Amino acid sequence: MDVELLRQLGERLLALQSSQCYFGFEGRAVVSAGSLAHHVSWTAAILATFRPTIHLTRCADFPSHLSWSADLILNHIELNALKVDWIIDTHPHADHFSAARDLNSCLNVPTATGAEVVRIQELWKSFYHLGDEFLTDGTQWDHLFVEGEQFKVGGMTAEVMFSPGHTMASISIRIGDAVFIHDTLFMPDSGTARADFPGGDAQQLWRSISRILDFPDSTRLFTGHDYQPGGREPLWESTVAEQKASNPHVRGQDETSFVRMRNSRDRRLPMPKLILQSLQVNIAGGRLPEPEANGQRYLKIPLNLFDRPAWS
Ligand SMILES: [Fe+2]
Protein backbone atom coordinates (compact mmCIF):
# COMPACT_ATOMS: atom_id res chain seq x y z
CA MET A 1 0.00 0.00 0.00
CA ASP A 2 1.19 3.50 -0.80
CA VAL A 3 3.09 5.05 2.10
CA GLU A 4 1.45 8.44 1.77
CA LEU A 5 -2.00 6.82 1.75
CA LEU A 6 -1.09 4.88 4.86
CA ARG A 7 0.06 8.06 6.57
CA GLN A 8 -3.22 9.78 5.74
CA LEU A 9 -5.22 6.80 6.95
CA GLY A 10 -3.27 6.78 10.16
CA GLU A 11 -3.98 10.45 10.77
CA ARG A 12 -7.65 9.84 10.04
CA LEU A 13 -7.66 7.00 12.51
CA LEU A 14 -6.13 9.14 15.22
CA ALA A 15 -8.56 11.96 14.53
CA LEU A 16 -11.63 9.75 14.48
CA GLN A 17 -10.99 7.57 17.44
CA SER A 18 -8.80 9.72 19.58
CA SER A 19 -11.17 9.18 22.47
CA GLN A 20 -10.70 5.45 22.17
CA CYS A 21 -6.99 4.96 21.58
CA TYR A 22 -4.17 4.62 23.99
CA PHE A 23 -0.68 4.93 22.60
CA GLY A 24 2.90 5.13 23.72
CA PHE A 25 2.66 3.12 26.91
CA GLU A 26 6.16 2.27 28.12
CA GLY A 27 7.48 2.11 24.60
CA ARG A 28 4.68 -0.18 23.59
CA ALA A 29 1.32 0.49 22.13
CA VAL A 30 -1.99 -0.29 23.70
CA VAL A 31 -4.88 0.35 21.38
CA SER A 32 -8.51 0.29 22.38
CA ALA A 33 -10.97 0.77 19.62
CA GLY A 34 -14.40 1.71 20.79
CA SER A 35 -17.43 3.36 19.37
CA LEU A 36 -16.10 5.14 16.32
CA ALA A 37 -19.39 6.17 14.86
CA HIS A 38 -22.80 7.05 16.14
CA HIS A 39 -24.42 4.41 13.95
CA VAL A 40 -23.05 0.94 13.30
CA SER A 41 -19.51 0.70 14.52
CA TRP A 42 -17.10 -1.73 15.98
CA THR A 43 -15.23 -2.27 19.11
CA ALA A 44 -12.41 -4.34 20.46
CA ALA A 45 -9.42 -3.75 22.60
CA ILE A 46 -6.09 -4.63 21.13
CA LEU A 47 -2.99 -5.01 23.18
CA ALA A 48 -0.07 -4.63 20.86
CA THR A 49 3.68 -4.39 20.73
CA PHE A 50 5.91 -3.16 17.94
CA ARG A 51 6.95 -5.50 15.18
CA PRO A 52 8.34 -5.21 11.66
CA THR A 53 5.98 -3.86 9.05
CA ILE A 54 3.41 -6.35 7.82
CA HIS A 55 0.67 -6.20 5.25
CA LEU A 56 -2.81 -7.00 6.43
CA THR A 57 -5.67 -8.08 4.26
CA ARG A 58 -9.30 -8.26 5.21
CA CYS A 59 -10.80 -11.71 5.31
CA ALA A 60 -13.94 -11.63 7.47
CA ASP A 61 -17.65 -11.80 6.84
CA PHE A 62 -18.62 -8.23 7.56
CA PRO A 63 -19.39 -6.14 4.51
CA SER A 64 -17.00 -3.28 3.99
CA HIS A 65 -19.54 -0.56 4.75
CA LEU A 66 -19.91 -2.01 8.26
CA SER A 67 -16.22 -2.54 8.85
CA TRP A 68 -14.69 0.79 7.98
CA SER A 69 -13.71 1.56 11.57
CA ALA A 70 -12.06 -1.86 11.94
CA ASP A 71 -10.21 -1.06 8.72
CA LEU A 72 -8.90 2.10 10.35
CA ILE A 73 -7.54 0.04 13.23
CA LEU A 74 -5.87 -2.37 10.85
CA ASN A 75 -4.42 0.50 8.90
CA HIS A 76 -3.06 2.03 12.07
CA ILE A 77 -1.48 -1.28 13.07
CA GLU A 78 0.13 -1.57 9.68
CA LEU A 79 1.24 2.05 9.52
CA ASN A 80 2.92 1.85 12.91
CA ALA A 81 4.32 -1.65 12.43
CA LEU A 82 2.62 -2.97 15.54
CA LYS A 83 2.56 -6.56 16.64
CA VAL A 84 -0.83 -7.37 18.14
CA ASP A 85 -0.80 -9.81 21.04
CA TRP A 86 -4.45 -9.89 22.11
CA ILE A 87 -7.89 -8.81 20.96
CA ILE A 88 -10.00 -8.28 24.06
CA ASP A 89 -13.69 -7.53 24.53
CA THR A 90 -14.02 -5.82 27.90
CA HIS A 91 -17.72 -6.73 27.83
CA PRO A 92 -20.47 -7.43 25.30
CA HIS A 93 -21.31 -3.95 24.08
CA ALA A 94 -24.86 -2.70 23.77
CA ASP A 95 -24.51 0.00 21.16
CA HIS A 96 -22.04 -1.17 18.56
CA PHE A 97 -20.73 -4.40 17.06
CA SER A 98 -17.61 -6.05 18.40
CA ALA A 99 -14.83 -6.23 15.83
CA ALA A 100 -13.07 -8.98 17.77
CA ARG A 101 -13.90 -11.76 15.35
CA ASP A 102 -13.28 -9.64 12.30
CA LEU A 103 -9.92 -8.41 13.56
CA ASN A 104 -8.98 -11.92 14.63
CA SER A 105 -9.56 -13.18 11.12
CA CYS A 106 -7.01 -10.68 9.87
CA LEU A 107 -4.53 -10.66 12.73
CA ASN A 108 -4.72 -14.29 13.84
CA VAL A 109 -4.06 -13.58 17.52
CA PRO A 110 -6.13 -14.80 20.50
CA THR A 111 -9.43 -13.21 21.36
CA ALA A 112 -10.47 -13.00 25.00
CA THR A 113 -13.10 -11.67 27.35
CA GLY A 114 -14.15 -12.14 30.97
CA ALA A 115 -15.27 -15.59 32.13
CA GLU A 116 -18.59 -14.24 33.37
CA VAL A 117 -19.64 -13.65 29.78
CA VAL A 118 -21.35 -17.05 29.91
CA ARG A 119 -24.01 -15.53 32.17
CA ILE A 120 -24.70 -12.79 29.66
CA GLN A 121 -24.88 -15.39 26.90
CA GLU A 122 -27.48 -17.37 28.85
CA LEU A 123 -29.55 -14.26 29.52
CA TRP A 124 -29.60 -13.01 25.97
CA LYS A 125 -29.98 -16.48 24.47
CA SER A 126 -33.34 -16.61 26.20
CA PHE A 127 -34.28 -13.10 25.01
CA TYR A 128 -33.48 -14.02 21.41
CA HIS A 129 -34.93 -17.52 21.80
CA LEU A 130 -31.82 -19.00 20.21
CA GLY A 131 -31.57 -22.75 19.64
CA ASP A 132 -29.19 -25.35 21.03
CA GLU A 133 -26.66 -24.47 18.36
CA PHE A 134 -25.86 -21.28 20.27
CA LEU A 135 -23.40 -22.31 22.97
CA THR A 136 -23.29 -20.43 26.25
CA ASP A 137 -19.86 -21.63 27.30
CA GLY A 138 -17.78 -18.70 26.03
CA THR A 139 -16.06 -20.80 23.36
CA GLN A 140 -16.73 -18.02 20.88
CA TRP A 141 -13.55 -16.48 22.31
CA ASP A 142 -10.15 -18.19 22.43
CA HIS A 143 -9.71 -17.46 26.11
CA LEU A 144 -11.84 -16.46 29.10
CA PHE A 145 -10.04 -14.40 31.76
CA VAL A 146 -10.66 -15.08 35.43
CA GLU A 147 -10.31 -12.56 38.25
CA GLY A 148 -6.67 -11.73 38.93
CA GLU A 149 -5.34 -13.59 35.91
CA GLN A 150 -2.07 -12.29 34.50
CA PHE A 151 -1.01 -12.31 30.87
CA LYS A 152 1.79 -10.86 28.78
CA VAL A 153 1.80 -7.97 26.32
CA GLY A 154 5.31 -8.15 24.94
CA GLY A 155 7.48 -7.93 28.02
CA MET A 156 4.79 -6.27 30.13
CA THR A 157 2.58 -8.08 32.60
CA ALA A 158 -1.13 -7.27 32.48
CA GLU A 159 -3.61 -8.24 35.17
CA VAL A 160 -7.35 -8.76 34.84
CA MET A 161 -9.71 -7.26 37.36
CA PHE A 162 -13.41 -8.09 37.24
CA SER A 163 -15.42 -4.87 37.36
CA PRO A 164 -19.11 -5.76 36.90
CA GLY A 165 -22.04 -3.42 37.22
CA HIS A 166 -22.41 -1.93 33.75
CA THR A 167 -22.62 -5.58 32.68
CA MET A 168 -22.20 -8.84 34.59
CA ALA A 169 -19.04 -9.70 32.68
CA SER A 170 -17.07 -6.44 32.52
CA ILE A 171 -13.33 -6.64 33.04
CA SER A 172 -10.67 -3.98 33.59
CA ILE A 173 -7.01 -4.48 32.74
CA ARG A 174 -4.10 -3.10 34.77
CA ILE A 175 -0.65 -2.70 33.24
CA GLY A 176 1.82 -0.98 35.55
CA ASP A 177 0.37 2.34 36.66
CA ALA A 178 -2.31 2.29 33.96
CA VAL A 179 -5.76 0.75 34.26
CA PHE A 180 -8.08 0.34 31.30
CA ILE A 181 -11.48 0.77 32.87
CA HIS A 182 -13.87 0.61 29.87
CA ASP A 183 -17.44 1.55 30.91
CA THR A 184 -17.15 2.20 34.66
CA LEU A 185 -15.95 5.74 35.22
CA PHE A 186 -16.06 8.10 32.27
CA MET A 187 -14.00 11.29 32.23
CA PRO A 188 -14.41 13.26 35.47
CA ASP A 189 -16.83 15.70 33.80
CA SER A 190 -18.95 12.86 32.42
CA GLY A 191 -19.90 10.71 35.41
CA THR A 192 -20.22 6.95 35.19
CA ALA A 193 -21.60 4.23 32.94
CA ARG A 194 -25.23 3.23 33.13
CA ALA A 195 -26.13 0.07 35.01
CA ASP A 196 -29.62 -0.71 33.76
CA PHE A 197 -28.99 -3.11 30.89
CA PRO A 198 -30.25 -6.65 31.60
CA GLY A 199 -27.94 -8.03 34.29
CA GLY A 200 -26.55 -4.60 35.16
CA ASP A 201 -26.40 -3.59 38.81
CA ALA A 202 -25.69 -0.14 40.26
CA GLN A 203 -24.46 -1.53 43.58
CA GLN A 204 -21.97 -3.76 41.79
CA LEU A 205 -20.87 -0.82 39.66
CA TRP A 206 -20.19 1.26 42.78
CA ARG A 207 -18.11 -1.56 44.25
CA SER A 208 -16.16 -1.94 41.00
CA ILE A 209 -15.53 1.80 40.89
CA SER A 210 -14.42 1.74 44.52
CA ARG A 211 -11.83 -0.93 43.70
CA ILE A 212 -10.52 1.22 40.87
CA LEU A 213 -10.33 4.27 43.13
CA ASP A 214 -8.39 2.22 45.70
CA PHE A 215 -5.38 2.39 43.39
CA PRO A 216 -2.83 5.12 44.20
CA ASP A 217 -3.93 8.66 43.34
CA SER A 218 -1.44 8.93 40.49
CA THR A 219 -2.78 5.82 38.71
CA ARG A 220 -3.71 6.59 35.12
CA LEU A 221 -7.23 5.60 34.13
CA PHE A 222 -8.14 5.01 30.49
CA THR A 223 -11.86 5.17 29.96
CA GLY A 224 -13.89 3.51 27.22
CA HIS A 225 -16.25 6.18 25.93
CA ASP A 226 -16.16 9.93 25.90
CA TYR A 227 -19.34 11.90 25.26
CA GLN A 228 -17.58 15.28 24.94
CA PRO A 229 -19.86 17.38 27.19
CA GLY A 230 -20.21 20.91 25.94
CA GLY A 231 -18.60 19.90 22.68
CA ARG A 232 -15.09 19.81 24.16
CA GLU A 233 -12.31 17.86 22.50
CA PRO A 234 -12.31 14.08 23.09
CA LEU A 235 -10.49 12.95 26.23
CA TRP A 236 -9.65 9.47 27.39
CA GLU A 237 -7.17 9.63 30.26
CA SER A 238 -7.61 10.75 33.86
CA THR A 239 -6.11 9.82 37.22
CA VAL A 240 -7.58 8.37 40.37
CA ALA A 241 -6.99 11.73 42.08
CA GLU A 242 -8.84 13.63 39.35
CA GLN A 243 -11.79 11.26 39.50
CA LYS A 244 -12.04 11.55 43.28
CA ALA A 245 -11.80 15.33 43.13
CA SER A 246 -14.21 16.18 40.38
CA ASN A 247 -16.38 13.32 39.14
CA PRO A 248 -19.83 14.25 40.50
CA HIS A 249 -20.91 10.60 40.57
CA VAL A 250 -18.02 9.83 42.92
CA ARG A 251 -17.17 12.97 44.89
CA GLY A 252 -19.06 13.05 48.17
CA GLN A 253 -21.01 9.89 47.32
CA ASP A 254 -21.35 6.64 49.20
CA GLU A 255 -22.82 3.37 48.02
CA THR A 256 -26.36 4.26 49.01
CA SER A 257 -26.39 7.69 47.39
CA PHE A 258 -24.64 6.42 44.27
CA VAL A 259 -27.11 3.57 43.77
CA ARG A 260 -30.04 5.96 44.26
CA MET A 261 -28.58 8.48 41.81
CA ARG A 262 -27.57 5.86 39.22
CA ASN A 263 -30.93 4.07 39.25
CA SER A 264 -32.87 7.32 39.09
CA ARG A 265 -30.78 8.57 36.20
CA ASP A 266 -30.96 5.26 34.32
CA ARG A 267 -34.76 5.17 34.53
CA ARG A 268 -34.83 8.30 32.40
CA LEU A 269 -32.48 6.96 29.69
CA PRO A 270 -33.85 5.27 26.56
CA MET A 271 -32.29 1.99 25.54
CA PRO A 272 -29.46 2.38 22.99
CA LYS A 273 -30.76 2.40 19.46
CA LEU A 274 -28.68 -0.63 18.45
CA ILE A 275 -28.90 -2.76 21.59
CA LEU A 276 -31.00 -5.52 20.00
CA GLN A 277 -28.88 -5.66 16.86
CA SER A 278 -25.51 -5.52 18.57
CA LEU A 279 -26.00 -7.91 21.49
CA GLN A 280 -26.83 -10.92 19.35
CA VAL A 281 -23.58 -10.43 17.46
CA ASN A 282 -21.52 -9.49 20.49
CA ILE A 283 -22.56 -12.44 22.67
CA ALA A 284 -21.20 -14.57 19.82
CA GLY A 285 -17.80 -12.91 20.05
CA GLY A 286 -18.53 -10.67 17.08
CA ARG A 287 -19.81 -13.40 14.75
CA LEU A 288 -22.72 -12.65 12.46
CA PRO A 289 -25.56 -15.17 12.36
CA GLU A 290 -25.00 -17.95 9.84
CA PRO A 291 -26.58 -17.40 6.42
CA GLU A 292 -29.94 -19.08 5.85
CA ALA A 293 -30.73 -21.33 2.89
CA ASN A 294 -30.99 -18.35 0.56
CA GLY A 295 -27.54 -17.16 1.54
CA GLN A 296 -28.87 -14.16 3.47
CA ARG A 297 -27.94 -13.49 7.11
CA TYR A 298 -30.70 -12.28 9.44
CA LEU A 299 -30.79 -10.60 12.85
CA LYS A 300 -33.69 -11.33 15.21
CA ILE A 301 -35.43 -8.38 16.82
CA PRO A 302 -37.55 -9.32 19.85
CA LEU A 303 -40.51 -6.95 20.07
CA ASN A 304 -41.54 -5.25 23.30
CA LEU A 305 -38.57 -6.67 25.19
CA PHE A 306 -38.06 -3.44 27.08
CA ASP A 307 -40.61 -1.35 28.87
CA ARG A 308 -39.32 1.79 27.17
CA PRO A 309 -38.33 2.70 23.64
CA ALA A 310 -35.11 1.10 22.38
CA TRP A 311 -34.23 4.35 20.73
CA SER A 312 -31.68 7.00 21.58
FE1 LIG B 1 -20.71 -0.69 27.37
Side-chain angles (χ1 to χ4, degrees), residues 3 46 61 81 90 117 134 137 153 170 186 247 280:
V3 172
I46 301 176
D61 299 327
T90 55
V117 76
F134 181 78
D137 58 3
V153 181
S170 301
F186 294 135
N247 190 321
Q280 62 193 293

Side-chain angles (χ1 to χ4, degrees), residues 90-96 166-167 170 182-183 186 193 197 225 227:
T90 55
H91 60 287
H93 303 275
D95 52 4
H96 44 84
H166 174 61
T167 76
S170 301
H182 61 92
D183 299 351
F186 294 135
F197 297 152
H225 290 279
Y227 296 101

Side-chain angles (χ1 to χ4, degrees), residues 144-166:
L144 298 182
F145 286 126
V146 297
E147 165 67 25
E149 183 171 345
Q150 295 187 339
F151 61 97
K152 287 290 186 182
V153 181
M156 297 183 295
T157 299
E159 183 171 326
V160 174
M161 185 172 82
F162 281 2
S163 43
H166 174 61

Side-chain angles (χ1 to χ4, degrees), residues 4 32 67 83 88 124 173 224 227 230 246 251 277:
E4 176 58 19
S32 174
S67 61
K83 175 183 179 297
I88 298 173
W124 283 90
I173 298 165
Y227 296 101
S246 55
R251 188 190 58 222
Q277 292 91 332

